[in-house]
Amino acid sequence: MTEDKELRIPQHVAIILDGNGRWAKAKGMPRSYGHIKGCDNLEKISDVAIEIGIKYLTVYAFSTENWKRSKEEIDGLMKLFRQYLKKCKKMADKNHMRVTVLGDPRAFDEDIQESIREIEEYSAKYDEHFFQIALNYGSRDEIKRAVNHIADDVRAGKITGEITEDMISSYLDTAGIPDPDLLIRTSGEQRLSNYLLWQLAYTEFVFMDVAWPDFHKEELMEAIRQYNKRDRRYGGVK
Ligand code: IPE
Ligand code: IPE
Ligand code: MG
């Protein structure tokens, strides 16, 4: 077995944080309890990611489809986002980390939008680590917004030549961030649920049965060990 110290650490890890609700239910607790514990775990895992040398971490915390959940669950999640975004400044300072929110913030209450603007502006001075939180994010929505933006720029004469793949990437919410090397989804589900469809074109996928609140350093290392066993190829070549 490869010793952990010899492991290649992926530069960019994307995670679908799934399974909070079922984790809580199994403990006889409400779903909102699972989200609280999931949120605590996110703070811990972002520290672990930095400790082991991951430069880019991108997490899926709330999808464009998640608005369909009950009012009680949505209210609980909004409360958590409010608290979490406020804590992000300290985390950014501690880890020299630039924080960016992927997704369309306009659906959130004004104070949440303001917190998003604040943390993005405040942490823009850091370029050692990069932490992306997907909130009201859907990949199809992101691509739709990018295409509309490109169309606007074509009409305004800012784009004249052919539209290239690199140009499309630069209009996405992840502009400037390299594509993920490793995608992890917890909770046993094996689907993308509208996450980073463009960016994951050549990413290695690792699906794990553990629920998000139980995903700790050991589980992250296990995912990285699996990643190390993969023979990465891009169209037949390494
Ligand atoms: C992931 O956990 C967190 C969010 C989508 C906000 P879930 O809430 O999807 O938990 P399960 O999948 O129902 O167990
Ligand atoms: C995907 O999880 C979105 C997030 C983790 C934020 P869901 O639990 O919402 O996805 P589905 O409904 O199982 O596909
Ligand atoms: Mg789920």
Side-chain angles (χ1 to χ4, degrees), residues 18-20 22 31 69 185 187 189:
D18 198 18
N20 292 349
R22 279 165 283 171
R31 295 178 60 84
R69 297 186 179 200
R185 182 169 187 154
S187 92
E189 305 303 335

Side-chain angles (χ1 to χ4, degrees), residues 74-122:
I74 298 286
D75 287 349
L77 284 165
M78 294 304 136
K79 193 174 161 197
L80 277 177
F81 297 154
R82 282 190 170 86
Q83 294 167 352
Y84 186 81
L85 286 164
K86 295 235 150 57
K87 283 191 208 162
C88 271
K89 245 186 193 174
K90 264 195 188 155
M91 287 165 52
D93 285 335
K94 185 170 78 172
N95 294 327
H96 295 175
M97 181 174 90
R98 181 171 185 170
V99 181
T100 314
V101 173
L102 312 180
D104 188 348
R106 294 171 295 183
F108 293 113
D109 286 350
E110 185 48 49
D111 67 303
I112 295 184
Q113 294 188 42
E114 181 57 32
S115 293
I116 292 173
R117 278 193 293 272
E118 262 180 38
I119 186 63
E120 289 189 335
E121 279 169 24
Y122 178 79

